[in-house]
Amino acid sequence: MKHADIDIIKTAVNPFYSAMKIHLYYIDGLLIDTGPFIRKRHLIPAFKTRDIRQVALTHSHEDHAGMARWIGDHFSADIFCHEKAVSFINKTPWYRRLFSDQHLGFTARAYPDVIRTAQYEFLPIATPGHTVDHVCLLEPNKGWLFSGDLYITPYPKVFLKQESINAYIDSLNKLMPYDVNTIFCAHEGFIHNGKEMLNRKLDYLLNIRRDVTELHQSGFTDREIKKRLFPDKVRLELMSFGLFSRLNLIRSCYRE
Ligand SMILES: [Zn+2]
């Protein structure tokens, strides 16, 4: 699949549940995110037909960074991530330590100020919220924003425990000065009217944070707030067995 010069590699995050997809973007020798290790049989052939010279990781979650090591071992590519993710991503996993003769050529490095390819430039922009080590990549001349897991939906109702609504709001504010035409989301694919959609998400999060904080300060419990603001069941909450939850989102509004 292609969008302009952007080559999209799309696969299910998990072979046992095909509804949730991950999108990797390949432009001009640069691969943005690498996909989960569990999808290696699908991803390796896709990587082998491309000339990967640089890799940009949006954050250290396994569905984004899981194949970075394989790429590092099979391509002479520069692999970049947020400085907070460097030691985590470079750590040799236990199953590799079992085989002492493994070739360990892989090292990820902290992002430079700008990543250049033959035709484009990409600005890494630290955008915490989903994780502390989250980075978006912006092609400023094209208005392309590779948003990792920052965007996904403008109206999230569930969060992971570590997600921070304050950090999301700060990150979205940080992106406001840029002309974003198209968002390239790691899970939802490409989204038009990028700037407007980022604005929608920012407004929504500001409103939610205000409403939750007011109720919390008036003495409502988290469960009462949930009943008022998010009365409907959320699919992702059920599917993730509560890893993503409405209560996590509510607590993040007044925790910090
Ligand atoms: Zn993630």
Side-chain angles (χ1 to χ4, degrees):
M1 192 166 49
K2 278 209 137 199
H3 179 282
D5 254 358
I6 302 161
D7 185 4
I8 305 174
I9 303 168
K10 181 177 172 182
T11 186
V13 170
N14 187 305
F16 309 108
Y17 177 67
S18 60
M20 185 150 173
K21 305 288 189 213
I22 180 116
H23 297 72
L24 317 178
Y25 299 103
Y26 175 81
I27 322 109
D28 210 9
L30 170 69
L31 180 71
I32 299 177
D33 282 334
T34 65
F37 191 71
I38 196 169
R39 300 300 283 156
K40 62 181 184 301
R41 273 198 290 174
H42 183 93
L43 292 169
I44 288 171
F47 295 156
K48 282 185 171 167
T49 58
R50 290 168 175 91
D51 178 19
I52 301 173
R53 275 162 280 153
Q54 303 184 86
V55 176
L57 300 172
T58 60
H59 60 296
S60 57
H61 280 165
E62 212 280 331
D63 51 336
H64 299 256
M67 286 299 287
R69 180 171 297 274
W70 188 91
I71 292 171
D73 287 346
H74 292 85
F75 287 85
S76 64
D78 288 322
I79 298 171
F80 300 115
C81 63
H82 190 290
E83 59 182 5
K84 285 184 180 158
V86 170
S87 60
F88 179 79
I89 286 175
N90 285 335
K91 207 168 138 209
T92 309
W94 64 269
Y95 53 85
R96 303 251 331 189
R97 269 182 264 134
L98 293 176
F99 308 101
S100 53
D101 60 341
Q102 286 278 9
H103 160 63
L104 299 173
F106 170 85
T107 28
R109 295 194 275 131
Y111 274 111
D113 292 339
V114 56
I115 295 177
R116 288 180 210 285
T117 68
Q119 297 180 63
Y120 302 107
E121 57 179 28
F122 298 85
L123 305 178
I125 304 172
T127 42
H130 178 67
T131 58
V132 291
D133 62 10
H134 194 282
V135 174
C136 289
L137 292 131
L138 178 83
E139 211 300 334
N141 306 304
K142 291 283 181 184
W144 294 335
L145 183 74
F146 297 87
S147 60
D149 284 357
L150 172 82
Y151 173 76
I152 304 186
T153 165
Y155 312 115
K157 295 182 179 66
V158 291
F159 268 13
L160 293 167
K161 202 169 198 161
Q162 304 79 6
E163 288 186 284
S164 158
I165 194 164
N166 292 343
Y168 266 116
I169 288 169
D170 291 347
S171 292
L172 288 163
N173 272 321
K174 193 173 178 183
L175 293 173
M176 284 305 139
Y178 298 104
D179 284 323
V180 176
N181 297 322
T182 310
I183 295 171
F184 294 86
C185 172
H187 293 292
E188 297 298 320
F190 57 84
I191 289 140
H192 297 297
N193 303 323
K195 195 167 184 135
E196 186 195 324
M197 300 312 281
L198 294 174
N199 253 310
R200 273 193 210 181
K201 181 158 189 166
L202 178 59
D203 284 348
Y204 168 84
L205 292 178
L206 287 167
N207 288 333
I208 288 290
R209 184 174 67 177
R210 184 201 58 216
D211 293 349
V212 170
T213 311
E214 279 174 15
L215 291 169
H216 176 74
Q217 284 168 352
S218 321
F220 285 80
T221 66
D222 296 340
R223 278 167 210 285
E224 286 164 347
I225 297 173
K226 178 170 105 170
K227 244 186 199 163
R228 283 203 160 205
L229 298 181
F230 308 109
D232 300 328
K233 285 205 167 75
V234 179
R235 231 164 76 99
L236 185 54
E237 185 168 339
L238 296 168
M239 271 163 31
S240 68
F241 303 102
L243 199 64
F244 287 88
S245 79
R246 288 166 285 175
L247 287 176
N248 285 340
L249 195 160
I250 288 164
R251 286 170 187 145
S252 95
C253 293
Y254 61 80
R255 187 178 54 206
E256 294 155 36

